[in-house]
Amino acid sequence: MEHETFGKIVAALRREQIDFATGRRWSQQKLAEETGLTKRIVSKIERGRQARLEGEVLQNLARAFELTSLERREFFGLASQSADEAVVRADLDHREVFEKAWASLSAIGLPAFLMDTFGNILGINRAMIAFHGCSMAQLSEAKATAEGVNLMGMLFAPDATLRRVLGNGWHSNAMTVMRQWRAMTLRYRHTERFRQLFALLSAFPDFSIFWSASRERPQDVTSRLRSHIYTHSVHGPVGYTVFTDVSLSDRGDLYLSAYVPQDRNTIELFQRLSVGSQQALPLANWP
């Protein structure tokens, strides 16, 4: 990744921080004070004019932004100046990557879905539709919204079906997904696409609350595994771990998530939901 692009990401992360003494977003001077750098160096980093980004500088920036381990992994990788095109082999066709991920989605005999880096749900299998009690009409309505079928929108919209069916598990699900979404989107924080999506999601009051709360004394996120035990409003007590596989391409990452049951009741439930065709339902275009 070019220094200029990395600088824009640093600037975007700086503007996300709030100076509680003034109630304003961090200035370059404030970031300099928090990192032990000079304002001149901060300005050079954000303009892509700092030729050397040493480990200590990056560590100080990551500490000031309170990045989790997954976010730090992204952050340090971005500073290496290696773009997606350089990381992913040139002979790896993104269409082939997508087709393999889609085939896996259709074959998995567990509730599963496929999404992109922004949390847009590209496809969902029948078991997941049945588990969350989503009707085709509700999915069509979500596709027609400004944010589309986006995982964050489906979690935080006040009238979202997921809020109802997750029952007492909604809060833990929402916070865990928020922290992972922050890591997934870190490399795109400076883009107009992210700003537009963030503006749409910020219209949901709980989204803004959870976004702020996920920055305060953050629980470190070191794995994409998520375990949930709660009382589902339709199916009763459930326990499962969300396993997420990441497929890399030069057009962005694909995230295939599947719910793996933790107890006998959930095993039996998922077996019932997985009876019949698991042909996945497309919900959004990619890339």
Side-chain angles (χ1 to χ4, degrees):
M1 175 168 287
E2 297 177 354
H3 280 317
E4 184 177 351
T5 302
F6 180 73
K8 291 178 180 179
I9 293 173
V10 171
L13 291 171
R14 170 177 60 79
R15 288 190 290 268
E16 290 178 8
Q17 314 303 314
I18 301 297
D19 185 345
F20 292 103
T22 63
R24 299 176 181 174
R25 299 185 186 280
W26 278 13
S27 62
Q28 289 184 343
Q29 179 61 45
K30 176 64 175 177
L31 179 56
E33 294 170 357
E34 292 291 330
T35 56
L37 302 172
T38 65
K39 181 181 177 182
R40 178 173 174 273
I41 293 297
V42 170
S43 176
K44 288 181 66 177
I45 291 174
E46 293 190 358
R47 290 183 290 114
R49 299 295 184 267
Q50 182 68 16
R52 296 182 62 187
L53 292 169
E54 298 177 347
E56 185 176 356
V57 172
L58 296 175
Q59 288 281 2
N60 288 339
L61 287 169
R63 177 187 52 77
F65 295 144
E66 295 187 326
L67 301 182
T68 64
S69 293
L70 281 182
E71 289 174 322
R72 283 169 178 254
R73 184 172 182 269
E74 284 286 310
F75 188 70
F76 297 149
L78 295 173
S80 71
Q81 300 189 70
S82 295
D84 286 345
E85 293 82 357
V87 173
V88 179
R89 283 190 357 227
D91 61 338
L92 189 61
D93 191 324
H94 69 273
R95 290 166 297 187
E96 180 181 346
V97 174
F98 179 82
E99 289 170 1
K100 288 182 177 179
W102 190 264
S104 296
L105 173 63
S106 297
I108 292 175
L110 295 166
F113 64 94
L114 181 68
M115 66 179 175
D116 67 11
T117 306
F118 291 88
N120 297 314
I121 300 179
L122 307 176
I124 186 171
N125 68 6
R126 305 291 173 172
M128 184 67 82
I129 294 174
F131 179 64
H132 287 309
C134 298
S135 67
M136 300 304 295
Q138 289 170 327
L139 292 173
S140 296
E141 289 175 5
K143 290 174 67 174
T145 62
E147 68 275 8
V149 188
N150 183 276
L151 178 60
M152 307 305 286
M154 296 187 75
L155 271 172
F156 289 101
D159 57 348
T161 301
L162 283 185
R163 293 179 70 107
R164 174 178 56 79
V165 300
L166 287 174
N168 62 4
W170 178 82
H171 188 281
S172 63
N173 268 272
M175 182 56 76
T176 302
V177 170
M178 174 64 80
R179 288 179 173 137
Q180 294 211 343
W181 191 71
R182 290 178 62 89
M184 289 165 52
T185 60
L186 191 143
R187 68 176 58 194
Y188 300 107
R189 299 284 180 81
H190 67 294
T191 65
E192 183 60 27
R193 182 180 179 186
F194 177 82
R195 286 193 289 267
Q196 290 177 351
L197 177 59
F198 188 84
L200 291 169
L201 295 173
S202 294
F204 306 139
D206 283 332
F207 175 86
S208 298
I209 293 172
F210 276 66
W211 174 264
S212 297
S214 66
R215 293 201 308 262
E216 299 172 6
R217 299 181 300 278
Q219 170 186 325
D220 197 15
V221 180
T222 59
S223 171
R224 292 187 176 91
L225 294 180
R226 308 193 306 271
S227 293
H228 300 289
I229 300 174
Y230 60 93
T231 301
H232 191 285
S233 67
V234 176
H235 303 298
V238 294
Y240 56 86
T241 297
V242 183
F243 281 75
T244 300
D245 177 70
V246 184
S247 298
L248 306 181
S249 87
D250 62 353
R251 302 298 180 89
D253 299 340
L254 292 172
Y255 295 81
L256 176 61
S257 295
Y259 292 2
V260 178
Q262 294 180 346
D263 56 64
R264 182 177 297 277
N265 289 336
T266 308
I267 290 173
E268 293 175 352
L269 169 64
F270 286 178
Q271 287 176 338
R272 293 196 301 272
L273 297 179
S274 298
V275 172
S277 172
Q278 287 302 308
Q279 185 62 41
L281 175 70
L283 296 178
N285 296 325
W286 187 87

